[in-house]
Amino acid sequence: AGILRAFGDNSSITWLAELAVHSHLQRNGVGSILMKEFLKSYSHTAIYAEVMAGQEEFFSRFDISRKSSLVACSRAAVLRRS
């Protein structure tokens, strides 16, 4: 149905790494349920999330919003040959 992955120190910072809901179940509240449970467990920490373009509105419902002082940086995977 859906998955939410997060990493953190359970003290000050939590990084929401992934929130995904099967396409057939989207817009049925699955993502909201996952977010509410996540926030219950980690509301005592600052929460950071990398959000795909166009999904900001969903996260803003949970007070996770764009911050002009943060920049996402990444590197492509290097494929290993065996």
Side-chain angles (χ1 to χ4, degrees):
I3 183 172
L4 188 149
R5 284 187 316 130
F7 305 93
D9 59 10
N10 201 23
S11 176
S12 60
I13 297 171
T14 304
W15 174 50
L16 196 165
E18 177 179 28
L19 173 62
V21 176
H22 191 283
S23 60
H24 291 99
L25 297 173
Q26 290 177 359
R27 304 211 185 314
N28 286 303
V30 175
S32 293
I33 291 169
L34 291 170
M35 283 298 295
K36 288 174 185 173
E37 290 301 313
F38 167 69
L39 293 172
K40 270 195 232 176
S41 298
Y42 296 99
S43 63
H44 63 285
T45 68
I47 296 173
Y48 295 90
E50 291 180 41
V51 177
M52 300 297 289
Q55 299 302 314
E56 299 93 342
E57 184 180 331
F58 173 81
F59 288 93
S60 70
R61 289 188 260 159
F62 303 97
D63 294 323
I64 297 173
S65 59
R66 179 184 295 264
K67 304 292 185 235
S68 61
S69 61
L70 297 176
V71 176
C73 301
S74 67
R75 170 182 90 70
V78 177
L79 300 177
R80 297 181 182 178
R81 296 180 188 222
S82 18

